[in-house]
Amino acid sequence: MGNPQNQLAVVTGASSGIGLELAKIAAEKGYDLVIAADEDDIDLAAEILRSIGVSVDAMQVDLSTKEGAADFARFITDKGQPVDILIANAGRGLGKSFLDQDLNQALDVVDTNVTGTIALIHTVGNDMRARGSGKILITGSIAGFIPGTYQAVYNGAKAFLNSFSFALRHELKDTGVSVTCLMPGATETRFFERADMLDTEVGQSEKDDPADVAKAGFDALMKNEGDIVAGWKNKLQTVMANVTPAGVLAEQHAKMAAPGTTKR
């Protein structure tokens, strides 16, 4: 059990990258933590976070399934504290053209980004609504504004999350529960390695600092803002995406995400 005076934050995808940085911020602000990821590194992340001085419970779990999300929800309940903040950050990417991808891996992108995310939010969100308080941060992406040539499934999944976040926010606007969508651009994490995209232009390009992205997202969450695009370049990109034909965007995305286009 954590300090009964502390509030509780739940963070998925917290083993590294943006998720770990978001968990660090929550810990530094005195939140007890329940964290999850599908990697062994989640235990190392828990040790890092405990060193900040809060209670941390960690679970290695596959959140790409409703069953995994349900198991994690029970793990949260065992903490014995209401969830004040839910940070739904777990996600997965996959590069290369859709027909060349392994179908099971492509479906896992959908299930991790979408199925597991909305299953967990459905459970925790209902508890928050019944209590009349709570904050939800969903990690979408600026990729959701752009047809993702050579990342078609990932960008489509992020488009779903962006849209879902805005809709859920309005459904909950009079309940005491807020929803914020964090929309990063390319960020210096293990994403591109895991997505097999290190041989692409975007995979080799300079990227945003995950700590900066996490701070922007957490600040927006605390202010009850509906969405936040981290970084001025990414803000400009989303503005341009809203006025650029989809075919042009798809062609532009191909140039940066096509396999084997690395400029060494």
Side-chain angles (χ1 to χ4, degrees):
M1 297 293 292
N3 186 332
Q5 295 181 338
N6 288 353
Q7 293 184 304
L8 180 64
V10 173
V11 187
T12 66
S15 59
S16 63
I18 297 171
L20 178 56
E21 296 300 331
L22 284 163
K24 286 179 181 177
I25 295 171
E28 289 164 356
K29 293 185 179 297
Y31 286 86
D32 286 335
L33 290 166
V34 176
I35 60 174
D38 62 357
E39 302 175 310
D40 294 340
D41 288 351
I42 193 64
D43 293 322
L44 176 59
E47 291 302 317
I48 293 171
L49 295 165
R50 289 188 188 109
S51 70
I52 298 174
V54 296
S55 170
V56 182
D57 292 306
M59 183 179 189
Q60 183 178 352
V61 59
D62 181 2
L63 292 174
S64 69
T65 66
K66 292 186 292 183
E67 294 76 17
D71 288 344
F72 184 53
R74 285 189 290 270
F75 185 74
I76 297 168
T77 301
D78 289 343
K79 180 74 173 176
Q81 295 174 248
V83 178
D84 298 283
I85 293 175
L86 171 61
I87 298 176
N89 175 74
R92 187 178 300 281
L94 189 63
K96 299 183 168 51
S97 63
F98 171 65
L99 294 182
D100 293 329
Q101 292 172 349
D102 177 86
L103 179 58
N104 289 329
Q105 290 183 341
L107 291 174
D108 189 58
V109 171
V110 176
D111 289 336
T112 303
N113 287 284
V114 177
T115 304
T117 297
I118 64 175
L120 182 61
I121 290 173
H122 192 270
T123 299
V124 177
N126 266 292
D127 290 341
M128 287 180 170
R129 184 177 63 174
R131 200 172 68 246
S133 66
K135 296 180 182 295
I136 299 172
L137 180 67
I138 300 172
T139 302
S141 175
I142 67 167
F145 294 101
I146 305 167
T149 311
Y150 301 112
Q151 276 185 287
V153 176
Y154 173 77
N155 284 37
K158 288 299 185 179
F160 175 93
L161 286 181
N162 291 353
S163 175
F164 173 76
S165 298
F166 294 129
L168 183 62
R169 175 180 175 82
H170 282 277
E171 290 178 0
L172 295 175
K173 65 181 180 179
D174 298 321
T175 67
V177 181
S178 68
V179 179
T180 301
C181 186
L182 170 60
M183 293 178 283
T187 305
E188 194 60 60
T189 68
R190 293 171 60 193
F191 173 88
F192 294 96
E193 174 189 350
R194 294 168 179 162
D196 194 17
M197 293 182 67
L198 292 181
D199 63 343
T200 65
E201 183 176 312
V202 66
Q204 292 292 319
S205 67
E206 184 177 353
K207 302 174 185 63
D208 295 330
D209 185 331
D212 293 338
V213 173
K215 183 179 185 305
F218 201 92
D219 288 348
L221 178 70
M222 292 295 101
K223 296 175 183 176
N224 294 336
E225 295 178 358
D227 63 287
I228 178 67
V229 177
W232 69 267
K233 290 183 180 179
N234 297 324
K235 294 179 191 294
L236 178 60
Q237 190 170 351
T238 59
V239 171
M240 294 302 297
N242 286 325
V243 297
T244 303
V248 175
L249 292 172
E251 183 176 355
Q252 291 174 345
H253 197 280
K255 294 176 182 177
M256 67 178 186
T261 57
T262 304
K263 298 178 179 178
R264 299 188 185 279

